[in-house]
Amino acid sequence: MQFFPSDYFIKLKKEEIFPDPKRPLEIDLGCGDGSFLINLAVNFPSKDFLGVERLLGRVRKVCRRSLKEDLQNLKVLRLESSYTLEWLLPDHCASRIHLLFPDPWPKKKHHKRRLVNEQFCASLVRVLEPNGEFLFKTDYLEYFEESMSVLKSFISLKEIQWDPDSYYPKTDFEKVWTDQGKIIYYARFKPNK
Ligand SMILES: C[S@@+](CC[C@H](N)C(=O)[O-])C[C@H]1O[C@@H](n2cnc3c(N)ncnc32)[C@H](O)[C@@H]1O
């Protein structure tokens, strides 16, 4: 279902997103058509999942698919990811934040539109639980290198190994890129206590 905050200008309380604040909450920034999130929501009914997506058509598609599966643990917010992370989400509410195949903005004049910057890192630390995780994937090497440089130099974040045994479904874009034989770059970080 689509999630509409009662006020877009004050920080939410966790229980405004889903009724039970004790349940783990995972956030997918730029969830696209939502296959990844729907897969997780089906497989982990004891967790809640919030997709953030700015395109209305994609938001509607996720809502339709989630309704078809009768998923009570999945909602989608139609909003810009940086704003959502910086200004709307409550402190330390998320067990995992996923940023999967964000738009790479390859032209130099558009680099400032890229999501990963110092403010984004500070917002990650604010929104993640102390033991939470940030998971990042891209097929775009130059964007990966730039993002890794920002993430690694942010002292309140610490890189950890990607757990090869964790259940982590492929996203729609990942399926396309892997079918084309592209290399996928990935990284995992946690708050540095
Ligand atoms: C390349 S697609 C990847 C979608 C999905 N994560 C996947 O891997 O299949 C990027 C998605 O992020 C959305 N998006 C890009 N920038 C965004 C932003 N600043 N805020 C919210 N959504 C954004 C786009 O509309 C698009 O659906």
Side-chain angles (χ1 to χ4, degrees):
M1 116 190 20
Q2 194 168 345
F3 171 60
F4 297 97
S6 56
D7 190 329
Y8 283 76
F9 298 101
I10 52 170
K11 282 219 174 85
L12 291 162
K13 291 193 174 68
K14 194 175 176 187
E15 55 270 32
E16 290 176 64
I17 312 173
F18 287 98
D20 184 353
K22 292 190 289 302
R23 284 162 58 96
L25 173 65
E26 300 200 14
I27 294 162
D28 185 11
L29 300 172
C31 66
D33 288 346
S35 301
F36 167 80
L37 215 50
I38 289 169
N39 189 319
L40 287 184
V42 168
N43 282 289
F44 297 93
S46 60
K47 297 181 181 183
D48 291 326
F49 298 89
L50 178 69
V52 180
E53 171 56 54
R54 65 179 174 192
L55 292 184
L56 181 59
R58 293 187 175 169
V59 169
R60 288 194 170 142
K61 194 163 177 186
V62 186
C63 291
R64 273 198 307 274
R65 295 171 76 187
S66 137
L67 192 68
K68 212 170 146 193
E69 300 276 351
D70 195 23
L71 293 171
Q72 304 301 311
N73 60 339
L74 190 155
K75 292 185 183 176
V76 194
L77 168 65
R78 186 187 176 207
L79 204 60
E80 203 279 319
S81 294
S82 307
Y83 179 85
T84 305
L85 204 60
E86 188 174 349
W87 297 107
L88 207 61
L89 291 169
D91 292 358
H92 309 303
C93 67
S95 58
R96 298 206 293 181
I97 297 176
H98 310 270
L99 179 64
L100 303 170
F101 304 91
D103 293 345
W105 297 110
K107 289 187 184 153
K108 196 160 178 52
K109 65 177 180 184
H110 293 148
H111 283 189
K112 56 181 179 299
R113 298 184 189 173
R114 290 177 168 177
L115 283 175
V116 180
N117 56 33
E118 265 210 21
Q119 180 53 60
F120 179 85
C121 294
S123 301
L124 283 179
V125 173
R126 183 188 71 74
V127 173
L128 281 172
E129 292 172 355
N131 282 318
E133 296 177 2
F134 169 61
L135 297 116
F136 174 52
K137 281 190 181 186
T138 179
D139 61 298
Y140 202 85
L141 178 59
E142 188 264 327
Y143 186 23
F144 183 70
E145 288 175 340
E146 183 194 274
S147 303
M148 288 301 279
S149 152
V150 176
L151 289 157
K152 281 181 173 183
S153 59
F154 196 80
I155 52 165
S156 304
L157 285 171
K158 180 179 162 189
E159 191 178 8
I160 52 172
Q161 283 238 311
W162 193 283
D163 177 2
D165 298 329
S166 79
Y167 180 74
Y168 208 80
K170 282 187 179 172
T171 73
D172 292 306
F173 274 75
E174 185 169 6
K175 285 176 200 153
V176 173
W177 302 142
T178 47
D179 285 352
Q180 290 180 12
K182 284 193 176 182
I183 298 172
I184 306 299
Y185 305 95
Y186 53 89
R188 181 174 172 225
F189 286 80
K190 60 182 266 189
N192 199 6
K193 286 177 239 171

